[in-house]
Amino acid sequence: METENPVNYKYMGRSFNDLSINDDSTAFSDCNSDRSGEFPSASSQNRRLLLACANSENSDELIRQLVSDLDSCSIDEQKQAALELRLLAKNKPENRIKIAKAGAIRPLISLISSSDPYLQENGVTAILNLSLCDENKELIASSGAIKPLVRALRTGTSTAKENAACALLRLSQVEENKVAIGRSGAIPLLVNLLENGGFRGKKDASTALYSLCTVKENKIRAVEAGIMRPLVELMADFGSNMVDKSAFVMSVLVPVPEAKTALVEEGGIPVLVEIIEVGSQRQKEIAVAILLQICEDSVLFRTMVAREGAIPPLVALSQSGTNRAKQKVSY
């Protein structure tokens, strides 16, 4: 597996060691446990019972019973068990290990392939919540979760798609899983979610793609799936609240030649120049970093950048920007 790091390269014969934008902590709010409604079909009495058991010594017995119910012949019992396990894993971090040790992961993965959308959604979301525990990630992946999650990303409800994207992000935090996720067909589906999903879907897709595309073959898959068009469109829309996220994803893609070409073909240069003119300080720094990589070893692209009027805002940034921005512009 070839993982690329955009730091340390040469531009116009000079060493440049601070190209990467490391402060992505606020651009990407991590995919946390599910944010969908709780107990949509359960009575208030059941809610109180579950929450009481979850906070008592009876929780281990409850978890074992719920895991057993996942294999029930009754779809209604499966739905309720998956829902309650999902919520137990969401609300109490220590339950994530208990549920995994009780043997819930494989039957939950089976539910992800269900034709019942509600059952699939709860299976996906329960796996997402279990994946929040680092100890569970390898077990979830080795139990065969990746392909079913990708199928949910293709066919699930909007909530199932969003939570599948988050679960794949969590699994991609184990480096060895990134190639497997990419080869499973996830990248084009995440690009589609980025382009056509709602705001949460776009945010979750961009976060997953940012993680997965540290691997070169996933960068190429993303470019071939047409990622540059939605990235450029989102970066051009300052009201989308996606400028930073899209720019960070673009910054991990542009080290590969295919991405540079696609970015230019999709009209990315004038968008980057506009960001340098009117974006936030961080957005300006990311845009400069991307433009530097576009211009590296390409007289044609340098000429295009100059023709788009980049020189005046770059000069202004070199005089008034942060030290890091000034360093980037100086190259």
Side-chain angles (χ1 to χ4, degrees):
M1 178 177 64
E2 185 175 356
T3 302
E4 292 198 344
N5 189 330
V7 183
N8 299 332
Y9 78 108
K10 290 186 177 182
Y11 174 63
M12 297 180 68
R14 299 176 66 183
S15 176
F16 189 73
N17 297 320
D18 191 27
L19 176 63
S20 64
I21 306 294
N22 295 314
D23 183 21
D24 59 2
S25 57
T26 56
F28 291 108
S29 57
D30 209 355
C31 284
N32 295 316
S33 59
D34 64 281
R35 288 152 280 181
S36 49
E38 296 190 3
F39 294 100
S41 61
S43 68
S44 59
Q45 181 179 3
N46 285 341
R47 287 197 293 269
R48 288 194 298 269
L49 175 62
L50 177 61
L51 293 176
C53 289
N55 289 296
S56 74
E57 295 178 355
N58 295 326
S59 63
D60 290 350
E61 182 179 349
L62 172 65
I63 287 169
R64 285 193 295 270
Q65 181 59 54
L66 291 173
V67 172
S68 176
D69 288 346
L70 292 175
D71 292 321
S72 170
C73 295
S74 166
I75 291 181
D76 288 339
E77 286 188 7
Q78 288 181 315
K79 287 180 180 179
Q80 189 65 22
L83 171 63
E84 294 186 10
L85 285 169
R86 174 193 118 189
L87 292 168
L88 283 168
K90 172 181 179 178
N91 293 315
K92 288 184 72 66
E94 58 268 32
N95 285 337
R96 295 165 191 158
I97 295 177
K98 291 181 180 181
I99 292 169
K101 287 183 176 179
I105 288 176
R106 287 188 182 276
L108 285 171
I109 290 171
S110 296
L111 297 187
I112 297 176
S113 300
S114 172
S115 59
D116 184 295
Y118 184 75
L119 198 55
Q120 181 191 56
E121 182 178 309
N122 278 304
V124 168
T125 310
I127 288 295
L128 163 61
N129 291 348
L130 292 175
S131 73
L132 300 177
C133 172
D134 288 341
E135 294 181 38
N136 290 338
K137 290 174 184 174
E138 291 188 13
L139 178 59
I140 291 171
S142 65
S143 297
I146 291 174
K147 288 184 178 180
L149 286 169
V150 171
R151 284 197 296 271
L153 198 56
R154 179 183 295 110
T155 65
T157 65
S158 59
T159 298
K161 289 179 180 179
E162 292 162 357
N163 288 343
C166 281
L168 290 169
L169 164 67
R170 286 290 179 174
L171 298 184
S172 75
Q173 292 169 347
V174 177
E175 197 70 21
E176 293 75 15
N177 291 336
K178 292 183 178 181
V179 168
I181 294 171
R183 292 177 181 177
S184 70
I187 302 295
L189 297 171
L190 288 167
V191 171
N192 182 64
L193 186 61
L194 177 69
E195 186 166 17
N196 299 308
F199 174 68
R200 183 189 161 193
K202 293 179 187 295
K203 181 172 70 67
D204 293 343
S206 66
T207 308
L209 287 163
Y210 180 74
S211 174
L212 290 166
C213 289
T214 58
V215 176
K216 183 177 180 180
E217 66 180 71
N218 287 342
K219 299 181 201 283
I220 295 171
R221 288 190 182 96
V223 174
E224 291 176 346
I227 193 173
M228 281 302 170
R229 177 174 296 177
L231 287 180
V232 170
E233 289 176 352
L234 290 168
M235 287 171 62
D237 182 2
F238 283 88
S240 69
N241 199 28
M242 286 290 296
V243 176
D244 293 46
K245 297 175 181 65
S246 301
F248 274 112
V249 176
M250 186 176 288
S251 73
V252 301
L253 293 172
V254 289
V256 298
E258 297 90 339
K260 293 183 177 72
T261 301
L263 186 155
V264 173
E265 290 176 349
E266 294 295 342
I269 289 178
V271 171
L272 289 165
V273 172
E274 182 182 14
I275 289 173
I276 295 172
E277 291 175 333
V278 300
S280 68
Q281 192 62 45
R282 182 172 65 177
Q283 290 167 356
K284 291 178 181 182
E285 291 182 11
I286 305 170
V288 170
I290 294 170
L291 283 176
L292 279 172
Q293 294 194 72
I294 293 172
C295 293
E296 183 187 15
D297 300 326
S298 175
V299 175
L300 174 61
F301 291 165
R302 288 184 210 133
T303 302
M304 294 175 68
V305 169
R307 286 177 178 173
E308 287 296 335
I311 303 303
L314 286 172
V315 171
L317 189 60
S318 71
Q319 296 172 345
S320 61
T322 64
N323 289 336
R324 184 165 62 178
K326 291 177 180 179
Q327 182 187 11
K328 286 178 171 59
V329 173
S330 70
Y331 285 85

